[in-house]
Amino acid sequence: MRSVFALLAVVSLFASGCGLFDDGNAVRVYTGRHYDLEQAFEQFTAETGIDVEFLSGDDAELRERIAAEGEDTTADIYMTVDAGNLWKAAEDGLLARLNSPTLNEAVPAGLRDSEGRWYGLAMRARTVMYNPQRVQESAFDAEDTYAQLAEPEWRGRLCMRNSTSPYTQSLVAGLIAAHGERRATEIVRGWVDNDVAIFENDIQILENIDAGRCDVGLTNHYYLARLLVDQPDLSVTPFWASQDGRGVHVNISGAGVLADADNPAKAQRLIEWLATTGQRSFVEGNHEFPTNPKVTPEPVIAGFGEFDYEPINAEAYGQLNARAVTLMNEVGYR
């Protein structure tokens, strides 16, 4: 019954959005990504003559809709903002295996599926943000910065995102994969014991760091970039976590061609374009890092400096998501 209600919720979103698909020759995208798609898709159409139609919704609900539609799905591409959802779609047999030298060259191995079922197109880093008036950069442990925040020295100084956020869930799932469940539990319990202040969104975290109500937090990098455009004197600085260890925790916006797509060749061409010629159009409006290493980041985030990242563990983000949620509930992380 839950799947039916989820499907109805998605249909409701579509009815109030861009409507039903009406061009059988267009590439059709089901997307959980809501950033600057029109500009990128319009540019693709202008360059190739291929129209793009898209419907927006929640990542998981869109995946359920595709499964429910089966061979009758009207979509050619599934696009999400979380590698765990791409992994689940691939495991459920919803995505085709692509043989694309273009994509294999454009997207590093650590940001794509080893079997060619999905590819990362934009990257976000979830890292430490701090107030430089209250914290020195030398205070951070470059070996495992996420675990360090569980130490008593940070008591009463932390701001973090709530447990219902997919960003938090993927981070904790990554901790379980890297450390094992026992150690990951110790880390998250340490955050709780440090009286972590929990917020509903990353902007609130950054504003509280700037105001001095907390000294350090964890957010996606692009939220800081958005604020800096209008508030260049904001007292918040990023610290690239765990540079002497596993690297910064990252996630992706990515896409795959559906196994039951009506226009698979055009769909593959769109994903290839987004990973190459269209990278800037796809990532810059939201200050995300390009996955294609040949494309330079836009100036605001380029100013944050270079960093090493932990390769995407999509299986962990997807398979360990439920365990991550349970872990947070057990230690009182809200």
Side-chain angles (χ1 to χ4, degrees), residues 88 317-327:
K88 289 177 183 177
Y317 299 173
Q319 197 170 55
L320 299 178
N321 180 272
R323 289 171 63 188
V325 172
T326 299
L327 184 160

Side-chain angles (χ1 to χ4, degrees), residues 278-315:
Q279 268 279 273
R280 291 193 185 280
S281 296
F282 192 70
V283 303
E284 288 192 352
N286 193 45
H287 305 284
E288 291 171 284
F289 286 99
T291 54
N292 189 329
K294 294 181 180 179
V295 179
T296 57
E298 56 89 18
V300 176
I301 61 173
F304 294 166
E306 296 182 353
F307 61 91
D308 293 326
Y309 60 85
E310 183 179 13
I312 289 286
N313 191 341
E315 181 175 359

